[in-house]
Each structure stands twice: as C-alpha cells, then as structure tokens.
Amino acid sequence: MDSKHIFGGAVAAFLFGFVVLYSSRRREKIKASEKTPTKKKLKSCGNGVCRSNFAGNTDVIIVGAGVAGSALAYALAKVITSSTMVKEPGGCIKLAELGLEDCLDGSDSQTVFSFAAVHKDGKRGAISFPSNSSARGFHYGRFVQKLREKAASLPNVNLEQGAVTSLVEENGSIKGVLYKTKGGQELAASASLTIVCDGCFSNLRSNLCNPKIEVPSYSVGLVLEDYNLPYANRAYFILKDTISITYPISSREIRCLVDVPGPKQPSISTGEMASYLKTVVAPQMPDELYNAFICAIDKGNIRTMPNRIMHASSYPTPGAFLIGDSLNMRHSVTGGGMTVGLSDVVLLRDLLRPLNDLSNAASICKYLESFCVLRKPTAFAINTLASTLHTVFSSSDEDPARKEMKEAFFNYLSLGGVFSDGLMAILSGLNPDPLSLVFHCFAMLAYAVGSLLLPFPTPKRMCIAARLILVGSGIIFPILKAEGIRATFFPATMPAYYRTPPAQSTDHQLNL
C-alpha cells in the first residue's frame, strides 16, 4: 500500500494558538486573582488558546492546536489509540499510525508522485519518491481544521479560544497556565503536565529553553491558478539563482514557495516585493508556470514567513515540556517541520502510554529526559538536510567551488537508483537515518571532486577540488556539532537513553 506524502502550506501558519486541557472531570473556571499567593507568573504570551475540561484536577494541558497540538490532543485523549499530522511521506506514515489519515479526505487534496528538479540552463530531472510512495498536497488551513474537529470529537476534549498570558510556577514546578478568553476574562488552568507546542512563533519557549534563533531567509508564498502543466501530479523543485518549490494543493491551484535570502525581506506594501518576484524570480520559472506566476503576483495575495532555525536546547522543567517547532526548527526548504512534529507526537505518546499518574512532576521530568535523545536521529537527518540544501543553493556562483557543489548535488539526484532514492527517502522522511545522510553527503562530495579531476586533473581543477572539500566540510561539520554528535550517532552512551517509567500508583486513573 502506498504511503501518502503531505505538503503543508508553511506560509499559512495558524493564526491562533490553543490550549487543550484533558480531563473527564467537570470544568471549572478560576479567576487569576483568586489563585493562591504562592504561585508566581512566568512572563510570556501566546496568540490564542483553547481549553478543555479544566481546573486543578486536569492531568495534561496542551498549548497549541496546530498540527502537532491537535494531533497530540487526539493521541493522548484516545490514550492507547492513534492520531497525528504530516508533511511528507514519512509524516503521512505517522499520520496513519495515529489514526488521523482521514483528515486528508474531502478537501480536494492532490496526490503527488514525483518532483521535477529544474536547474540552470533548463536542465531537468524527474525524481520519484522511493518505494512507490506518493505525497499529498493540500490547503493547510483545511487540514488543521479537520484535525481540530477530530480532536474535539472526543468526549474529554473541549476547544475554547483564548490567549495564553503566562505559565504558572509553584516551588520550581509548572502548575498550569493563565489565559484570557475572547471576552477578556483572565482565567487559570492547572494540570500535572503542560505540553507547549504552539509553533515557530512560540513566546512560551523562553521559559523552558535557551532559544537561539537564526533567520537566514524568508519564504514568500503565492497561489497559482490557470496553469498548464505537461505532467499532472508532479511538484517542482527549482534550483537556480533562487530556490522555489511548487506543488498542487487542489485541483485548480498550485502553491509556490520562493526563498528570499537575507534577514530582511523586500516590502510588500511599497511594491518592492512584487518587483523582486517579477524581475528576479519570474525569469527562473519554468515556461509552463511563468504566466500563472505573474498573474499571482498581480493579484497581490503575497504571504511571507521567516525561515527560522533553532536547535533543540530545552532544560528539564518539572511540570512542563516542549515539542515540535516550539522546541526545534529547521529551514522550510524541505518541508520537514510537520514530519518532525508528528514524530515528536508519536514518541511522546509512546513514552506517556505506560503512565497512569503524572502527579510526581520531578520523576516524570527525569523520565521524559529520554525524549530528547530518542528524537535526535529523526530530527537530525531532516534538520541537517534542510540546512545543507539551503546553504548550497543559496550561495553565490562567484565561488567556483560552490558552483561545482550545486552542479554535483543536482547531478547526484539525477543519477537515480540508490543515489536519488536514498536522498529522497531522507528528504521525504521515509528513512531519516543519520548514517545514511552522512553517507550521501560525503558521496556527493566525492562525486563532485571526481567530476572535477577526471579524466585529466589540472592544477586549476585540483585547487577548486581542494576548495570544494573545505567548503563542503565547512557546511556539514558545524551542523553536525550543533545537532550533537554523541546523541545523534551514539545515543546508547547517553544516560537519558535508559530512563524507565517511574513507579505508578495502582489506584489512579490518568485523565487525558
């Protein structure tokens, strides 16, 4: 059976964060002013909130009802059943694993079987997903709404819009959250465990980790209509002077994401962005997409989002936990964010599965230290490939070594067989194996050097080859170091790898 691949519209980030509280006990509103004086606020804020059966008897609070939050809500509320969300073939597998694959149906989502990689001089290569797998292109908002509806359909989950204003701490442990309803009333909700997964713009993460965020570029999103593609069910990976990705999201629409390098983007309001897209990006579009691309610019519905990179750096905090983009972000060029987020959901669900009592915050915190070690291989492979791909193709051709590296990457993908299949399996999340990624990175480097030196090495080519090795090593090794070599390749040497569930009470029923 073919696995499905989902492309999320990264540009259409959800507008409202949510808090989901799970409990089968009655709901009770608590005004913040009535809280005990021993509790102090941890200053932070969120965009929106959603809550469920709440009060001091709640076991789990989930901050965030996007892809990861809604999937986790459903997964935990079902206790041992499945549910989740996705962005790539590997992510779709997680979606099916969690019982949420039907959230893709009924929204005019499109099946995608392959990529058309387009390089300079019109050079193209058709690259299929390995193992006869396929992908799905869809409207992000429709997909997330279905996930929320699926979670809300469970009896112990209630969604209620609001705005998180802070986490609540007592004696070194997080005891819950403060939030405001749409009517402006400030309420408090307490729980044994608060899980923060409110996305890339999370303002709660600063209380739970040491965020060091880089913004190397912006993604600019457009919806193309009235196009005439020579091949249906195919996405485009345009690797020219700028990086562009297009994929169908409905039977009449194509999502186009353009990478605009630099920490600042051209202004949309002054027309600078439209001018940039027409003069710099449009000439690089394939002929079959050019007219539709220009029309989309003229319509003016241009969306932008910063591409944020943040390595996981959370510190143990009793009573609270980070997952998804709140914990770790990578460049969006490979669309791997949902896959990593869904992998986090599945892993956390499995870790919480044997527990029926979350009241001992210190022991639960110690046990969940294993999460960061166990998630590392998948996160590393997807994060590293995204950073490497963007660094290579966003660099200037003025450096001959970087130009050769671009050519080598494209030609390596075009080789087919184990070369393209292996790399696509990593890119799509089907086989996010760190050793496989390292093998392909150095295989590409060897391929590039060999192409330069054969059949007749010259002093100039030898100099470029040496420079290429230095540049390639300068790209990959800092990423390896930042991700953590020991935890990635030798997880069994990490003490947290062997954490076991704490002793559980036999007379306590966990409310999720």
Side-chain angles (χ1 to χ4, degrees), residues 460-508:
K460 181 179 179 180
R461 289 188 173 189
M462 292 175 67
C463 289
I464 295 175
R467 168 71 180 158
L468 194 151
I469 293 173
L470 288 174
V471 170
S473 300
I475 291 174
I476 190 67
F477 283 117
I479 298 173
L480 289 174
K481 182 180 178 181
E483 289 289 338
I485 294 176
R486 183 184 174 192
T488 300
F489 298 101
F490 309 102
T493 66
M494 304 289 289
Y497 184 81
Y498 299 98
R499 296 283 189 263
T500 57
Q504 297 288 291
S505 169
T506 57
D507 59 355
H508 181 85

Side-chain angles (χ1 to χ4, degrees), residues 10 26 43 147 180 182 185 200 211 264 266 269 272 296 372 407 445 471 487 508:
R26 73 181 177 82
K43 187 177 180 182
L147 287 169
K180 287 185 178 181
K182 292 179 69 174
Q185 184 182 17
C200 63
K264 292 185 178 181
S269 59
E272 188 180 354
C372 289
E407 291 287 341
L445 194 58
V471 170
H508 181 85

Side-chain angles (χ1 to χ4, degrees), residues 405 408 440-450 468-469 472-473:
M405 195 174 295
H440 283 288
C441 284
F442 284 100
M444 278 188 288
L445 194 58
Y447 178 82
V449 171
L468 194 151
I469 293 173
S473 300

